Amino acid sequence: MNPDNLTKEYTNGEVTIVWQSGKCIHSANCVKNNPDVFHPKEKPWITAEASTTEKIIETVHKCPSGALTFYMNNTK
């Protein structure tokens, strides 16, 4: 696996954020729109449990590169 093209998942229990490092263009839209979740200088840099599912989905939709996507967890 290329270390420059990692795929990582972060969840708040309800929604899972999927980040693909190889697609990231560092627009910082995620950080600007949801600074409680996205901390680029920290590891892990995404703390999904720090925000509502609605706000996470709204933020992911603003990612211009497609590096951030999400899926809903099975809550049954």
Side-chain angles (χ1 to χ4, degrees), residues 4-31:
D4 296 328
N5 192 18
L6 300 173
T7 299
K8 301 249 181 172
E9 296 189 358
Y10 307 87
T11 188
N12 71 358
E14 192 173 33
V15 66
T16 297
I17 302 165
V18 180
W19 177 62
Q20 297 174 72
S21 65
K23 290 184 178 180
C24 188
I25 59 170
H26 307 287
S27 70
N29 282 3
C30 55
V31 178

Side-chain angles (χ1 to χ4, degrees), residues 5 17 19-21 25 29-30 33 35 38 42-43 46 49 56 61 64 66 72-73 76:
N5 192 18
I17 302 165
W19 177 62
Q20 297 174 72
S21 65
I25 59 170
N29 282 3
C30 55
N33 285 286
F38 299 93
E42 296 176 20
K43 286 192 178 192
I46 297 176
E49 61 277 4
I56 287 170
H61 282 305
M72 299 304 293
N73 298 341
K76 291 181 182 179

Side-chain angles (χ1 to χ4, degrees), residues 21-64:
S21 65
K23 290 184 178 180
C24 188
I25 59 170
H26 307 287
S27 70
N29 282 3
C30 55
V31 178
K32 291 176 202 157
N33 285 286
N34 204 339
D36 293 336
V37 171
F38 299 93
H39 310 100
K41 294 188 179 1
E42 296 176 20
K43 286 192 178 192
W45 79 281
I46 297 176
T47 51
E49 61 277 4
S51 182
T52 65
T53 295
E54 186 177 276
K55 179 78 172 165
I56 287 170
I57 291 169
E58 186 181 302
T59 302
V60 168
H61 282 305
K62 293 178 180 175
C63 179

